[in-house]
Amino acid sequence: MSDTPHDIQFALSEFDRGELPASQRELQGDDFLQAVQAHLAAQFSGQGGVANVTVTKDRVTIRWKESTEGLSAIEQGANHLKEGNYEKGIAILRRVLERNPDDTDALSNLGMALGDHQKNEESLDLLNRLVTVEPDYPGAWVALGVAQARSGNWDQAIRTFREAVVRDSQDGLARKNLGAALSQKGKLDEASEHLKAAVVLLPSDAEAWLNLAMHLEQSGGSEEAGVAYKRVISLSPGSQISDEAEKGISRITNADFRKAGGDHNTDAVNYCSEALRLFDGMPKDEVQKIAFEIATLGSKGLSVKDPSEKYSLRSLPGTFSGLQLLCIQYVGFQIIDPSADIGFDLSSEYREAKNAFGERD
């Protein structure tokens, strides 16, 4: 047969039954014809074209059409996964592995897809087989480490990520995941090296920056952590990962605020008292309007350390400092929804202000 045939015909008697799986070699009649058709169609799959295989009782005809649209079964399965059609993608990749249990592309794609859908045991089995069959397969060690971490096997995952870094020290994903795993286990000094390397190798990866920011916060480097959290927000605005970064910034700001003010921050107590006077007798819908406007402004960042009055609102006249606005927002939400968390704890200052204002808990 030609390597790139366009029209091939040969007698069915020339077909070697030995090419079929052992379970199909003794088939007869239509079952045999179908087995031959499926086998030959699979042989031409992924060759850069589309093969139409017809098998009759005495003849095999293969009509080949070259096309860039011809996709292998693995490519079809991977495309279905990318499009969110996981059930179909997984089913196609399973069929590929039934024909060839050591197909590295199928092992990789199916192993990662199953891990994404919490089928951890099967995912681990496939990815372990992948690194055994092809230890240098791109991303194989990282994928295996992720699957191990998902199963809670952090020590095992760390060993696997180390192997990935040894094989390629410039693999940003390996560095990112190794750093995160080490940080998870409390090995902060070693984690720092890999997390910092990851953001150099993957400068636009918001998750890598979030990992670094959380690590720096955990290690006590609040100023550096704040910079990293802001980088996350700039790379992935409005996302879930950005929400996590905003919470991190709030934690750092709150911690710094507490360090500077002790049990009660006098300025915050005064601002809360002013807010109580402002909202006294005001309709709740007006209180809500002011609190929500500050919340929207705060999503872009309010400077609590800076005492200058540089912020303004549509709903209130005058200018305000960042801390002053947070106090107004906090008091406003205590009125309209006390269960709301604005990401900044002013409860002790609020209690002091209420006492001074003459309202007892």
Side-chain angles (χ1 to χ4, degrees), residues 244-264:
E244 291 300 316
E246 288 177 1
K247 291 177 184 176
I249 290 174
S250 293
R251 286 193 301 269
I252 292 170
T253 304
N254 214 344
D256 290 345
F257 174 72
R258 286 289 156 225
K259 287 178 186 176
D263 291 338
H264 303 300

Side-chain angles (χ1 to χ4, degrees), residues 181-313:
L182 289 167
S183 188
Q184 173 74 19
K185 294 293 290 183
K187 300 179 180 180
L188 302 184
D189 290 341
E190 188 182 357
S192 181
E193 170 196 348
H194 297 290
L195 292 171
K196 288 178 179 178
V199 297
V200 172
L201 294 166
L202 304 168
S204 298
D205 188 322
E207 186 178 41
W209 281 99
L210 181 65
N211 288 346
L212 176 60
M214 294 175 71
H215 167 76
L216 290 169
E217 183 187 353
Q218 185 181 2
S219 303
S222 59
E223 187 172 347
E224 291 178 279
V227 171
Y229 278 131
K230 288 177 182 176
R231 179 70 171 157
V232 174
I233 295 169
S234 68
L235 288 170
S236 186
S239 65
Q240 184 175 351
I241 200 170
S242 178
D243 291 342
E244 291 300 316
E246 288 177 1
K247 291 177 184 176
I249 290 174
S250 293
R251 286 193 301 269
I252 292 170
T253 304
N254 214 344
D256 290 345
F257 174 72
R258 286 289 156 225
K259 287 178 186 176
D263 291 338
H264 303 300
N265 183 288
T266 303
D267 288 336
V269 172
N270 291 334
Y271 288 142
C272 285
S273 295
E274 292 174 3
L276 285 166
R277 288 193 291 273
L278 170 69
F279 292 138
D280 187 29
M282 183 182 290
K284 279 193 174 183
D285 59 340
E286 288 296 318
V287 176
Q288 178 174 295
K289 180 180 177 182
I290 295 168
F292 279 16
E293 184 181 354
I294 298 172
T296 301
L297 182 62
S299 67
K300 301 175 183 177
L302 291 173
S303 176
V304 176
K305 292 182 179 179
D306 186 355
S308 61
E309 297 180 348
K310 60 181 182 180
Y311 301 103
S312 60
L313 300 173

Side-chain angles (χ1 to χ4, degrees), residues 17-18 42 114 130 140 145 150 173 183-184 187 197 208 238 255 260 275 300 317 350:
R17 284 178 175 263
L114 292 171
L130 174 61
R150 281 173 170 162
L173 290 175
S183 188
Q184 173 74 19
K187 300 179 180 180
K300 301 175 183 177
Y350 176 67

Side-chain angles (χ1 to χ4, degrees), residues 8-170:
I8 302 170
Q9 296 189 45
F10 57 94
L12 180 60
S13 59
E14 296 177 17
F15 178 79
D16 181 4
R17 284 178 175 263
E19 294 185 26
L20 295 174
S23 61
Q24 297 180 342
R25 291 171 189 168
E26 302 303 321
L27 293 175
Q28 301 295 326
D30 289 342
D31 290 339
F32 173 62
L33 301 185
Q34 291 173 10
V36 173
Q37 192 276 337
H39 170 76
L40 292 174
Q43 295 299 303
F44 284 94
S45 177
Q47 300 299 316
V50 177
N52 183 10
V53 181
T54 303
V55 182
T56 64
K57 292 181 179 180
D58 59 359
R59 198 151 196 80
V60 175
T61 302
I62 303 171
R63 289 188 171 84
W64 175 265
K65 179 181 180 182
E66 292 183 0
S67 170
T68 57
E69 298 178 358
L71 297 177
S72 68
I74 293 173
E75 290 170 325
Q76 293 174 36
N79 281 349
H80 283 304
L81 294 177
K82 290 177 184 176
E83 293 167 359
N85 191 346
Y86 298 108
E87 185 175 345
K88 190 166 186 178
I90 287 172
I92 291 172
L93 293 170
R94 285 191 195 281
R95 287 199 294 273
V96 173
L97 288 177
E98 287 174 2
R99 294 197 300 266
N100 181 6
D102 292 336
D103 188 299
T104 53
D105 289 338
L107 287 170
S108 175
N109 281 282
L110 183 55
M112 289 190 288
L114 292 171
D116 289 341
H117 288 77
Q118 287 77 50
K119 297 182 182 297
N120 293 332
E121 186 173 345
E122 188 177 0
S123 172
L124 282 168
D125 178 62
L126 295 173
L127 293 171
N128 271 306
R129 195 191 316 168
L130 174 61
V131 298
T132 301
V133 172
E134 181 48 77
D136 294 323
Y137 189 91
W141 291 94
V142 173
L144 175 58
V146 169
Q148 291 165 339
R150 281 173 170 162
S151 297
N153 299 322
W154 287 100
D155 292 334
Q156 200 172 43
I158 287 171
R159 289 193 293 272
T160 301
F161 291 138
R162 286 192 200 283
E163 179 67 24
V165 171
V166 167
R167 289 175 176 274
D168 183 2
S169 63
Q170 300 303 300

